[in-house]
Amino acid sequence: MFSQLLGSLSGVLPFIAYFLLAMGLLAIFVRLYTWLTPHHEFALIRAGNPAAATAFGGALIGFALPLSSAISHSLSLIDCAIWGAIALLVQVAAFRVMRLWLTDLSERISRGEMACAILLASTALSVGLLNAACMTY
């Protein structure tokens, strides 16, 4: 029974390593994304702006989806970090493209306009799903 328990716990160290890497990449994504967006997500969310929370939540999930795929399909921590960085860049690029299409996107989110927030969140989720699927090959 003790050997079964040790066998079950053999994956704890890789779990911790990948989880810490994922949390680090998520922190980098949050910092970079909030730095690149003209609106101030955390201040808007603290003020009760649902549009900012919706858009930012979509971006977080849109990044976490391909990051989880990178974790599942990577060969090593370095491989995972590389694909996580690619996921980060793709998600940031998606936001940049949306800003080209809707030039007043940040102002509208700052005003709490949900239509733009839902579109931005949906775009982030869609791009994240496609990004995750592309990482499986």
Side-chain angles (χ1 to χ4, degrees):
M1 181 164 148
F2 185 69
S3 62
Q4 287 178 329
L5 178 62
L6 287 178
S8 295
L9 294 177
S10 66
V12 169
L13 288 179
F15 165 81
I16 292 170
Y18 277 93
F19 187 77
L20 290 175
L21 174 62
M23 294 308 293
L25 287 168
L26 186 63
I28 291 168
F29 173 76
V30 166
R31 181 64 190 119
L32 183 64
Y33 190 85
T34 57
W35 180 66
L36 289 174
T37 56
H39 55 279
H40 303 284
E41 282 87 355
F42 295 123
L44 291 169
I45 292 167
R46 278 188 213 104
N49 184 318
T54 301
F56 188 60
L60 286 173
I61 297 169
F63 174 66
L65 288 167
L67 183 56
S68 68
S69 181
I71 292 166
S72 297
H73 297 97
S74 65
L75 303 172
S76 66
L77 284 172
I78 298 291
D79 187 44
C80 182
I82 291 168
W83 285 105
I86 290 168
L88 185 149
L89 294 173
V90 169
Q91 200 59 241
V92 167
F95 174 76
R96 294 297 226 188
V97 168
M98 287 299 294
R99 280 199 59 214
L100 291 174
W101 186 49
L102 291 169
T103 55
D104 62 343
L105 178 66
S106 288
E107 293 82 14
R108 293 174 73 176
I109 288 173
S110 294
R111 290 192 303 261
E113 293 184 25
M114 286 301 294
C116 281
I118 292 168
L119 179 61
L120 183 58
S122 299
T123 300
L125 290 170
S126 299
V127 168
L129 282 170
L130 294 173
N131 193 358
C134 291
M135 288 185 184
T136 62
Y137 295 101

